[in-house]
Amino acid sequence: GGLNYLGETEIIKQSVIHRYKFDPEQDHKIKKGDIPFDPATEKSAGTVHYIDSLKGIIDLKRGGRSTAPHPTSVIPGTPINTKVIREALVTVARWVIDHGIDSPGPSRSVRDLLLSLPPRFSGLSPGENLVNKGESVLEAARRLAILLDETCLPIQGPPGAGKTYTGARMIVDLVRQGKRVGITATSHKAIGNLLKEVCQYSAHAGVTVRAIQKAPDGDQVEAVNVVQAKSNQEVENALDLKEVDVVAGTAWLFARGGLTGQLDVLFVDEAAQMSLANVVGVGGAANSIVLLGDPCQLAQPSQGSHPPGAELSALEHLLGEHITIPPDRGLFLDITFRLHPDVCQFVSEVFYEGRLEADKSCTIQAIAGGSALGGTGLRYLSSEHEGNRTSSTEEAKLIKTEVAALLGREWTDHTGHKRPLIYEDILVVAPYNAQVARIAAFLPRGVRVGTVDKFQGQEAPISIYSMATSSTEEIPRGADFLYSANRLNVAVSRARGLAVLVCCPGLLRVRCRTPKEMRLVNAFCRLVELAN
């Protein structure tokens, strides 16, 4: 809201880039690539070419001949057309009506998923632990990938546990066996991340992988063995001619009827953020499905009303009441290569039932002493303030002081290499855009500041989590948002060496009304107990 037109910035082909200024201390979901609407005209305001939420700058790309007035505000555009996914769901439903849900036949892996059945493997008996004695989880994953029997295998990957690393090696092993594999996720960025790892590992392993990707400019993987498809039909043609081993794209690609049964295995990355319905819609493209993700980190965004259970992601549906995947139902990557043991202890205890351990290489990660934020582990910085809802100047000033004290201090990484801390080594997280903007105004350029959503998948030697709100009475979105266990997990687990919680002590004195609220608040209280 409150857009102020600043003028044209550049011309791209037949389009003009228009720049607008806005107050950065407002929450919004607009991002690059979106096509927001102007509520005044109820029509498209252009395509978001660039946006900087810290500075309050948004660039909209519009046709050079456009005579539409410049918007004074923009809102999310119309919903994405889901016809192709809905049609895929209907296809599955009709087959179930005619043949039953638990029968051999098309989309059996999808039907196993709906029934939450344990995975099936050729030559293995059901009900046994999937990891053999003396075998690493990575070794088990690579062994089981070849044995998938029209089934759904969940792999839960906590922070820094090598989810992408594991998935890429499974994919290359499958290609080595002559299998055809799909890669999908909720975003092109996640798809590209896994595809890049596949390309890098295949080159190292000496395995030729012929890949095709359907993605917009800016999200395409630039590799000699990756063909960029301009259309869905181009992907279908490449599969028909047996020219590719790996296909990468979103659900809108794999749900198409032309891809039904074309693949041996479909890998769904960030499966804790992909809805159960979407996975059912894409599952028909492959004989088996591998779900990579972690429901204990950020879950899929869900709005509106849903029939009970339909609001869950595919991984949440499979886990049911479990926090971590049972050993006979899937794989749990139990070693993190990111977290120092002092940080891992809290993350493992509070979020992963004590099943997560730190690799030995992480024990030497440390920040040289000199202030309260030296060493490793957890720290709690109390910041007294009143009346703050979504931003706190008091916390921003405190963080500024601590960041200044940290810069230049010696950091030892997991290889034993020592160097001074720089701006990029400090990651500051806040629940609200308003607090992100407030903190950024006090910090030097280069320090990474953003909401939890922005930093999933990233890491740094130090992570600082600023809660901003003064008390439960001031919480704008309810306790579930501010005290979210998933958000706390992501914020803390970005840290290789030191995780810092900055908040008003009033947030730790809560009159809980339900067992759920007690569990949420207890996570923060436990962090403070372990902090030193």
Side-chain angles (χ1 to χ4, degrees), residues 9-10 12 17-20 22 28 30-34 36 46-61 445:
T9 61
E10 61 179 309
I12 301 178
I17 308 300
H18 300 274
R19 174 158 292 183
Y20 304 82
F22 64 89
H28 68 84
I30 306 295
K31 62 183 183 300
K32 182 180 177 181
D34 285 353
T47 302
V48 179
H49 180 71
Y50 169 81
I51 185 166
D52 188 330
S53 295
L54 299 182
K55 294 182 177 180
I57 296 291
I58 182 171
D59 290 350
L60 297 176
K61 183 170 72 173
R445 190 176 184 86

Side-chain angles (χ1 to χ4, degrees), residues 162-183:
K163 173 174 60 67
T164 302
Y165 183 96
T166 301
R169 278 143 187 80
M170 293 172 72
I171 292 170
V172 173
D173 287 349
L174 285 163
V175 172
R176 185 188 278 117
Q177 295 291 323
K179 307 295 185 182
R180 295 206 293 193
V181 182
I183 298 174

